[in-house]
Amino acid sequence: DQQVKQNSPSLSVQEGRISILNCDYTNSMFDYFLWYKKYPAEGPTFLISISSIKDKNEDGRFTVFLNKSAKHLSLHIVPSQPGDSAVYFCAASADDYKLSFGAGTTVTVRA
Amino acid sequence: DAEITQSPRHKITETGRQVTLACHQTWNHNNMFWYRQDLGHGLRLIHYSYGVHDTNKGEVSDGYSVSRSNTEDLPLTLESAASSQTSVYFCASSTGGEETQYFGPGTRLLVL
């Protein structure tokens, strides 16, 4: 039973526009959330995270929003660039250092 | 530079064979993890370790084992490889007080 869900398998966006990736979770014990980016034939790389005590965290072009009441988080990428084309995984932790991952969303940035 | 490496990067084996995938990190991280990535499932946790001589089962541990004899290494063994274990395997590590994990480059395993 997947506790972290990314319901959009793919997203296509024009270069310069905003990419919005969504993630839902079911486990109310999750208190730390992360986004990872993965290129083909490489391991996932950490992108940005947010603690449950916050509702927003920003790092350059990347912003993560957390809505605890809805058990929902989203990643905004503004502006989208060709190098952002990758698979993005949402992950969550219940303060036990283990991560539960979503199935991933493939982002394609069109020139 | 500190890093996390996996070997081999690609492996083809036959059903029933024992296979060991290596994972080595030089960050001196206490926590180490093994995941498998399959289409439609994301990354699923196989086994994990919080320190030397500590090992724990993840959500998909059947048919796999690990041992932690030092801080740097967490080898993953498939006792008797099955076609269902064809996948891409990722090792990751993290410090004792941090949730963020850092991943190796992966091992692509094909079981024929």
Side-chain angles (χ1 to χ4, degrees):
Chain A
D1 184 30
Q2 206 156 15
Q3 300 181 75
V4 178
K5 297 182 181 179
Q6 294 176 255
N7 292 319
S8 297
S10 62
L11 171 69
S12 181
V13 63
Q14 194 164 15
E15 183 178 359
R17 299 290 186 105
I18 184 171
S19 294
I20 300 176
L21 291 76
N22 294 301
C23 178
D24 298 293
Y25 61 96
T26 58
N27 188 343
S28 58
M29 298 300 292
F30 287 149
D31 62 359
Y32 198 80
F33 304 89
L34 308 91
W35 285 93
Y36 281 83
K37 178 180 180 178
K38 186 185 178 304
Y39 292 120
E42 294 184 10
T45 56
F46 170 71
L47 193 57
I48 192 169
S49 62
I50 188 167
S51 166
S52 61
I53 62 174
K54 296 184 177 181
D55 54 18
K56 176 183 174 181
N57 189 28
E58 194 171 350
D59 184 2
R61 296 186 297 114
F62 303 93
T63 303
V64 57
F65 296 92
L66 175 62
N67 183 333
K68 285 181 292 185
S69 61
K71 293 190 174 67
H72 177 85
L73 63 155
S74 62
L75 174 68
H76 293 207
I77 306 173
V78 184
S80 299
Q81 298 175 354
D84 296 332
S85 295
V87 178
Y88 291 78
F89 290 102
C90 173
S93 175
D95 197 27
D96 56 3
Y97 310 118
K98 297 187 296 179
L99 296 180
S100 295
F101 283 85
T105 297
T106 300
V107 172
T108 302
V109 179
R110 309 186 311 272
Chain B
D1 284 343
E3 60 178 357
I4 181 166
T5 57
Q6 294 183 234
S7 62
R9 293 295 311 277
H10 301 271
K11 175 77 176 177
I12 300 175
T13 191
E14 296 177 342
T15 303
R17 297 233 182 208
Q18 184 181 78
V19 177
T20 296
L21 309 182
C23 175
H24 179 80
Q25 53 97 3
T26 59
W27 282 306
N28 202 35
H29 285 169
N30 287 332
N31 305 331
M32 295 185 73
F33 308 84
W34 273 104
Y35 296 88
R36 58 178 290 173
Q37 182 196 1
D38 303 289
L39 198 61
H41 289 97
L43 287 86
R44 291 182 290 175
L45 184 63
I46 305 172
H47 281 285
Y48 59 101
S49 167
Y50 290 143
V52 177
H53 302 310
D54 175 74
T55 61
N56 305 279
K57 294 182 179 181
E59 61 175 309
V60 290
S61 61
D62 286 349
Y64 303 94
S65 64
V66 293
S67 62
R68 186 93 180 268
S69 58
N70 59 53
T71 301
E72 296 79 19
D73 299 288
L74 187 70
L76 177 71
T77 298
L78 288 69
E79 304 293 344
S80 177
S83 58
S84 60
Q85 294 176 309
T86 291
S87 187
V88 181
Y89 292 86
F90 290 101
C91 178
S93 69
S94 68
T95 64
E98 187 177 322
E99 306 290 344
T100 305
Q101 295 178 17
Y102 300 91
F103 283 80
T107 294
R108 186 173 293 272
L109 176 68
L110 175 61
V111 183
L112 299 174

